[in-house]
Amino acid sequence: KLQSSVLMASYGLDEEQEYEYVDEVTGFSFEIPEGVQAGVTMKVFGPHNVTLHVPMPNNAEAGDRMHMVKSDGKWRIDHVTRGEANVAQMLSIPQAKTVDDLAKDLGQPHVCSVELRTTKGMINLRVVPSWAPKGAQRFLQLVTDKYYTDLPVYRAVPDFLVQFGVSGDDRNWKYEAIEDDDSRGVPFLEGMVCLAASSQNSRMATLCIFLTDFPQLGKKSWETPFARVSEESLHVLRSIYTGYGDMPQCGGSGPDPIQLQDRGNSYIKESFPKCDYVESAEWVS
């Protein structure tokens, strides 16, 4: 169960939790993961370990549930649903904070500074616990525990995000998923930081840092930033290598988090030598 949750946080699909089998032979459904755009072909695991390549419809969104049916021996998309729970979450989202609101929050005395030492230089994060208390507490715990040490940036998508936190050693198994935070209206702007997740109460240790504004996010209970990259560090963030593109589970040809977890950093060094690394993280103030 724990391993399944780790992988879910890494790439947004979970074979154990995310699939609801309508019928063992003729149907199943899955939730479309974050970051998948129209036209992208998703790699989906269906019943009996069959692997399907499913195109993202133009009218579907991340978080929608796609229902697949099998007829005449072939799988096809039957329909896509957008649940009442998602609508309820959208209605309960507070008004988005303004640029002035964010600046005021970032200047509060309770804000913490964490430095990420990367292969491209130092990235300073300003952690605002009031934005997402549970997420901030987990992140600072991970920093204190030296979790973010020698971790490859395995997912780096131009004009979207960079992501890291998967390793090939036993650190992946030490942390349970945390509960979601209530949304405080913090928008997903360039430099915003959050923990990866794909469903309610599934955040663990994988970190996402956004390379551009992404207003599509923030509509679900687990989409809650807790920090932002400081202005003076943005040039380092922008220099992180993004040439390999997205991971295979989201239709890309970049590093596979499952292979990374199985084989460790040697997989990245052999197959994706240009990937950058987070060498360490330190809570400095």
Side-chain angles (χ1 to χ4, degrees):
K1 178 72 172 293
L2 181 57
Q3 181 181 24
S4 180
S5 296
V6 170
L7 298 181
M8 173 183 63
S10 300
Y11 58 80
L13 291 177
D14 185 294
E15 294 180 51
E16 179 180 335
Q17 295 182 358
E18 284 299 311
Y19 293 99
E20 295 178 0
Y21 291 93
V22 179
D23 183 280
E24 186 175 277
V25 175
T26 61
F28 73 98
S29 67
F30 66 93
E31 185 175 296
I32 299 172
E34 297 293 349
V36 178
Q37 304 293 327
V40 167
T41 299
M42 297 176 285
K43 183 179 180 181
V44 176
F45 299 100
H48 308 301
N49 296 320
V50 64
T51 300
L52 305 176
H53 297 277
V54 183
M56 174 72 162
N58 290 329
N59 60 345
E61 299 178 358
D64 291 350
R65 183 159 289 276
M66 187 174 292
H67 299 260
M68 308 293 296
V69 295
K70 189 175 184 180
S71 59
D72 297 327
K74 295 182 178 180
W75 287 99
R76 62 176 176 81
I77 300 172
D78 185 58
H79 64 283
V80 177
T81 57
R82 193 163 298 159
E84 293 181 2
N86 289 343
V87 174
Q89 289 170 5
M90 291 176 64
L91 293 176
S92 65
I93 293 173
Q95 184 175 355
K97 288 180 176 287
T98 66
V99 173
D100 289 341
D101 292 334
L102 297 176
K104 182 178 179 180
D105 290 346
L106 288 163
Q108 293 296 318
H110 66 275
V111 172
C112 307
S113 289
V114 171
E115 289 185 344
L116 297 179
R117 184 179 298 277
T118 77
T119 45
K120 287 293 175 59
M122 197 73 74
I123 297 177
N124 178 268
L125 306 182
R126 300 286 287 165
V127 181
V128 186
S130 62
W131 286 355
K134 298 183 182 73
Q137 182 180 22
R138 166 54 61 87
F139 174 65
L140 293 173
Q141 175 193 8
L142 293 165
V143 171
T144 301
D145 293 348
K146 307 298 183 184
Y147 182 92
Y148 298 108
T149 302
D150 196 27
L151 291 175
V153 183
Y154 69 88
R155 189 183 187 194
V157 186
D159 299 319
F160 183 31
L161 56 67
V162 298
Q163 185 168 310
F164 55 90
V166 175
S167 75
D169 54 44
D170 62 357
R171 80 184 87 173
N172 287 331
W173 312 100
K174 294 181 179 179
Y175 302 90
E176 297 284 347
I178 62 173
E179 294 181 355
D180 294 339
D181 283 290
D182 294 329
S183 176
R184 309 297 171 89
V186 181
F188 279 79
L189 305 179
E190 181 185 20
M192 285 298 182
V193 183
C194 69
L195 290 167
S198 68
S199 63
Q200 291 182 332
N201 305 321
S202 64
R203 297 176 298 167
M204 296 182 72
T206 301
L207 208 67
C208 300
I209 306 179
F210 286 80
L211 300 176
T212 189
D213 298 354
F214 216 77
Q216 298 94 319
L217 298 181
K219 300 176 182 178
K220 299 186 177 69
S221 60
W222 57 90
E223 295 174 350
T224 47
F226 59 81
R228 192 174 192 183
V229 174
S230 62
E231 191 73 29
E232 62 269 20
S233 296
L234 283 175
H235 71 285
V236 180
L237 174 64
R238 294 165 183 156
S239 72
I240 297 293
Y241 185 75
T242 59
Y244 294 124
D246 212 339
M247 55 192 175
Q249 290 81 4
C250 289
S253 56
D256 185 335
I258 300 177
Q259 291 288 331
L260 172 57
Q261 191 173 50
D262 289 344
R263 297 170 53 190
N265 287 358
S266 61
Y267 162 67
I268 299 295
K269 292 175 181 177
E270 293 168 6
S271 302
F272 302 93
K274 294 183 179 180
C275 275
D276 283 300
Y277 286 76
V278 174
E279 299 172 333
S280 64
E282 183 180 2
W283 185 351
V284 293
S285 66

